[in-house]
């Protein structure tokens, strides 16, 4: 598993989409000051955000501010959650594929749908 890396274009687009949906202000250069820390061994999966000054990711209690769902290229549903810490700083992009298989791709935000709350 990679230690930390730049966000992919697809991850960043999904973060922007979820932030906008939550009315969360994302600074125009946020992506230039943060690294992605993969939380799974999968090629595409949940990531934590590490600010420039942080040397490593420290798990914290987080709160969901936004979510959406999409279908992976194999037709299986994936749910995405954007999480913040107690200071309302972005901490994680949590991706959950409902059958627990590996995520193949993150599609364009045009393919995102709301999560139906029960």
């Amino acid at each position: 598993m990679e230690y930390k890396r730049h966000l992919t274009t697809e991850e960043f687009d999904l973060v922007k989409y979820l932030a906008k949906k939550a009315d969360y202000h994302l600074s125009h250069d946020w992506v230039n000051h943060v690294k992605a820390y993969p939380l799974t061994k999968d090629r595409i999966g949940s990531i934590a955000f590490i600010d420039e000054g942080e040397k490593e990711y420290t798990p914290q209690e987080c709160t969901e501010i936004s979510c959406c769902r999409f279908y992976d290229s194999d037709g299986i549903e994936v749910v995405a959650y954007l999480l913040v810490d107690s200071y309302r700083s972005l901490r994680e992009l949590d991706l959950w594929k409902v059958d627990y298989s590996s995520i193949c791709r993150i599609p364009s935000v045009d393919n995102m749908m709301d999560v139906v709350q029960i």
Side-chain angles (χ1 to χ4, degrees):
M1 177 169 24
E2 294 179 64
Y3 176 61
K4 53 186 174 177
R5 60 172 174 75
H6 293 286
L7 273 75
T8 65
T9 301
E10 295 81 10
E11 289 167 340
F12 183 46
D13 287 346
L14 182 52
V15 168
K16 288 188 297 187
Y17 172 81
L18 288 168
K20 182 177 180 182
K21 189 174 174 195
D23 291 325
Y24 182 91
H25 174 71
L26 197 61
S27 66
H28 70 281
D29 63 345
W30 174 82
V31 73
N32 298 324
H33 301 284
V34 71
K35 298 282 190 214
Y37 179 88
L39 297 174
T40 67
K41 293 180 182 179
D42 295 325
R43 187 175 65 80
I44 300 173
S46 297
I47 56 172
F49 306 119
I50 302 176
D51 291 329
E52 282 179 316
E54 291 181 272
K55 293 186 189 243
E56 61 185 46
Y57 174 68
T58 305
Q60 298 179 20
E61 190 160 329
C62 293
T63 303
E64 172 195 328
I65 61 167
S66 187
C67 62
C68 68
R69 63 189 178 94
F70 60 88
Y71 287 96
D72 205 350
S73 56
D74 60 4
I76 305 297
E77 187 174 36
V78 178
V79 183
Y81 301 93
L82 190 60
L83 306 172
V84 295
D85 63 17
S86 60
Y87 301 103
R88 295 221 16 104
S89 296
L90 291 184
R91 293 303 293 171
E92 293 181 18
L93 174 63
D94 188 19
L95 300 174
W96 173 61
K97 192 164 180 180
V98 299
D99 71 348
Y100 297 99
S101 64
S102 294
I103 298 171
C104 304
R105 66 172 177 77
I106 297 173
S108 159
V109 295
D110 297 334
N111 294 301
M112 302 300 161
M113 299 168 277
D114 287 335
V115 173
V116 178
Q117 301 292 329
I118 300 174

